[in-house]
Structure formats: structure tokens, C-alpha cells
Amino acid sequence: MGKLTVGALRAVLVVVLAGTVFVQAGMVWTLVSGNDPEDGSLPLTPLRVMTILGMAAAQVALVCVWRLVTMVRRGTVFSHAAFRHVDVVIGAIVAAALVWFTVTAINAPGQRDDPGVTVIMGGVGVAILGVALIVLVLRMLLAQAVARDSEAAQMQAELDEVI
């Protein structure tokens, strides 16, 4: 992976992380200060709490991706240490999907006249779970690569003994 690619990815990660922290801080401030302009038409407080939790899940995934990029730069990504980070990313994506389904359930009563919105939101939740499945498949590919790397190292050691 080139330096430009790593630098660009890290810049994106920093911007997204800073943006989510900024939005979270604003939402926490609104909840704590009591300045919630909720008029009763939509339950804003639960939606704000779900947004804070969803962004926390995204932040966890961002930190793990940062660590994986660091491992790629060092050439150590094909090791068992990478599995921990990938597993946490999968868990964060599943958590984000559960938060999204909760947001859908909170929003559903207000969509009785137009239930298509709730169906679309449910579809987005399923798509988020699909991303978790894609990362799971990539984890399996990583496992195969680690196994092949281990086999190659073992064969190289045997060949060195023969020579």
C-alpha cells in the first residue's frame, strides 16, 4: 500500500472521527443542558441517544481500521493480531445495524400514513448487516492468507534444513 493511499485514508479517518465527535458533543450538550426543542411530534431525545450510540460504533470501527492500516504499512497485517481488529469492526457494524433498527422502530409510529419510509429504513438496516457479512468474508480471506503464509514459512524452514 502506497504512502499516498495510506495518507489519504488516514486523512479521511481523521475528518470522519472529528466530525462524529463534534456531532456527539453537540447532541450530548443538548441532552444535558435541557435545551431540547422537542415539540412532541417526534421523540427527539431517544433519536439523539441512538445517534450518539451509532456514532460511537462508527468511531470504534474507525479506530480499528486505523490500526489495520498501520499493520498494512508495517507488513504485519497477515498475522493473528489482525483478527482482533477485524472482529471488532464486524461487531461495530452489527451494533450500528441494531441502532438503525431501533431508530426505525422509534420512527415507525410517525409513518403510519406512509409505511414505505419504514420499509426503506428497514432495508437500509439489512444493507448495513450486509456490510458486516462482506467484512466477515474478507476476514475469512485474511484467515486463508495467514494460513498460507504460515505454510510457506514452514516449507521455507524445511527447505533450509535440507539445504
Side-chain angles (χ1 to χ4, degrees):
M1 190 179 248
K3 287 184 179 183
L4 181 63
T5 305
V6 169
L9 179 56
R10 285 187 174 166
V12 169
L13 292 174
V14 166
V15 168
V16 172
L17 187 63
T20 57
V21 168
F22 178 74
V23 171
Q24 274 181 322
M27 289 196 175
V28 168
W29 176 256
T30 300
L31 291 172
V32 171
S33 68
N35 293 331
D36 196 351
E38 190 168 340
D39 63 355
S41 63
L42 191 64
L44 292 178
T45 300
L47 289 174
R48 283 195 178 98
V49 170
M50 290 297 107
T51 302
I52 291 167
L53 293 174
M55 288 187 180
Q59 291 164 348
V60 167
L62 290 171
V63 169
C64 288
V65 169
W66 183 283
R67 289 181 178 168
L68 287 168
V69 168
T70 300
M71 292 178 81
V72 167
R73 258 330 257 156
R74 292 181 184 156
T76 60
V77 76
F78 294 115
S79 65
H80 292 286
F83 290 114
R84 179 173 30 112
H85 301 302
V86 175
D87 290 341
V88 172
V89 169
I90 292 169
I93 295 170
V94 170
L98 294 175
V99 166
W100 184 257
F101 285 129
T102 304
V103 168
T104 302
I106 291 169
N107 190 46
Q111 300 298 328
R112 288 197 175 114
D113 294 337
D114 190 11
V117 172
T118 303
V119 172
I120 291 170
M121 288 179 72
V124 169
V126 172
I128 295 169
L129 287 175
V131 171
L133 289 173
I134 291 169
V135 176
L136 181 63
V137 168
L138 293 173
R139 184 194 186 283
M140 289 188 249
L141 291 172
L142 177 63
Q144 287 179 355
V146 169
R148 297 277 189 268
D149 193 43
S150 175
E151 287 176 19
Q154 182 181 1
M155 287 182 183
Q156 183 66 40
E158 289 174 4
L159 185 62
D160 288 344
E161 284 181 18
V162 170
I163 294 177

